Amino acid sequence: MILPVRQNLNINFSANGQEQQKDPQKLKYSHDTLLKNNLLTRTRIGIDKLSNAFTLYPAKGLKGSENSNFYEFLTMGTVPYLVGSGMLMGVFNFANKHYESFSKSRASKLGNKFALGVLFYGLAKSISRSFVSKPVKALTGVDVELPYAKVIYELPENVNDTDITSIEYHKVFESVEFPRFDLLYGDEAKGEKRNKYYDKIAAKLGIGKDLTDSDQEVKPIIRDIVVKTTTAQNLSQYFWAACGVGYAFQKPWETAFNNGTLKFWKKEEFMRTLNNIKNAAKESWHDFYKGTSEPGISKYSGKLLLGAAALSTIAGVVNAVTTIDKPSKLDAGDVIDSSKKYVVN
């Protein structure tokens, strides 16, 4: 008699030929797992990817591991970005100690602006993606940033390797052609409705409730929303990044670090620095938005840049949520006239 294969049977085979039972508690994830899109998850994913980009992934690549892949290559792109940013921040500050007093003062001011420009560029570019994704999620229910953990089963690199796994972090809608729709179905074994996610989207979009095949109805619409939302994010984030750089180069920032220090154990000087930064941030925003007293377009450049960034974001959100091609609600009875005869060839 042929017995069915039990899916929950996990057996490892060691190098000496003996069977070993795998302890599922040792694995962070036993299968591809949908994750919550919240601050804690995003922070944990960011730390994990950053630490691997500086340590594990370069080591695997340098030794020629056959398990190195394109995901690890892309993740390591963070390294030159951070290193290059650090070099740009320090290009003036590292050398200004060799300058005369006046030149040193001028170089320090410019160096601080460069450092803040790099910092605000990265922050604005990253944060501004949520300016599009959050409203789209609120209006349609589709979260284009929804993450999941992917379990990778690697090839053994020596005779003692057994059941080698690694974890990659991706987004459900990372690929428009092959989104991970399978992760969005409910677990019927836990009493969940299979199409609960798709039912929610269908209701949110006004397609209907209690549909027979809500997943088939909304999947094409979800793809459409993902494409338009991602395009809007990619366009608007550079406008916001430009705003960050413009904000960093305002004159009040020049005095933000005067007579202060970032050494927190020197409490008095550290608190003075924080107060200077707070005042500089407020005054810089005023100068960036209001403009200078000089005649010409420079007086309105900050408003124009902010307006362009806001307009690109709003237009992207509107485009994503208002140009949705909903499926027709017509059925056969609405199309076929039963009073007439039809011939099928």
Side-chain angles (χ1 to χ4, degrees), residues 181 185 194-195 198-199 202 207 211-223 325 327:
F181 283 130
Y185 286 103
R194 176 172 171 76
N195 282 355
Y198 301 102
D199 289 342
I207 297 175
L211 301 177
T212 304
D213 297 306
S214 59
D215 55 340
Q216 301 305 315
E217 297 278 3
V218 303
K219 281 181 180 179
I221 301 176
I222 291 176
R223 281 193 175 96
D325 294 326

Side-chain angles (χ1 to χ4, degrees), residues 207-279:
I207 297 175
K209 297 180 179 180
D210 299 322
L211 301 177
T212 304
D213 297 306
S214 59
D215 55 340
Q216 301 305 315
E217 297 278 3
V218 303
K219 281 181 180 179
I221 301 176
I222 291 176
R223 281 193 175 96
D224 185 65
I225 293 172
V226 169
V227 171
K228 292 174 179 178
T229 303
T230 304
T231 301
Q233 287 179 317
N234 293 337
L235 291 174
S236 66
Q237 66 179 348
Y238 288 102
F239 284 106
W240 289 110
C243 290
V245 175
Y247 175 56
F249 272 77
Q250 299 306 305
K251 191 174 182 61
W253 284 115
E254 295 179 359
T255 60
F257 302 98
N258 288 352
N259 301 319
T261 181
L262 294 178
K263 299 176 181 179
F264 59 88
W265 54 89
K266 296 182 178 180
K267 187 175 179 180
E268 185 176 344
E269 294 181 17
F270 181 70
M271 294 304 297
R272 187 189 306 124
T273 303
L274 292 182
N275 188 58
N276 289 343
I277 292 174
K278 182 182 71 172
N279 292 334

Side-chain angles (χ1 to χ4, degrees), residues 335-344:
V335 178
I336 300 175
D337 188 351
S338 58
S339 65
K340 297 181 180 180
K341 293 182 180 181
Y342 297 88
V343 177
V344 179

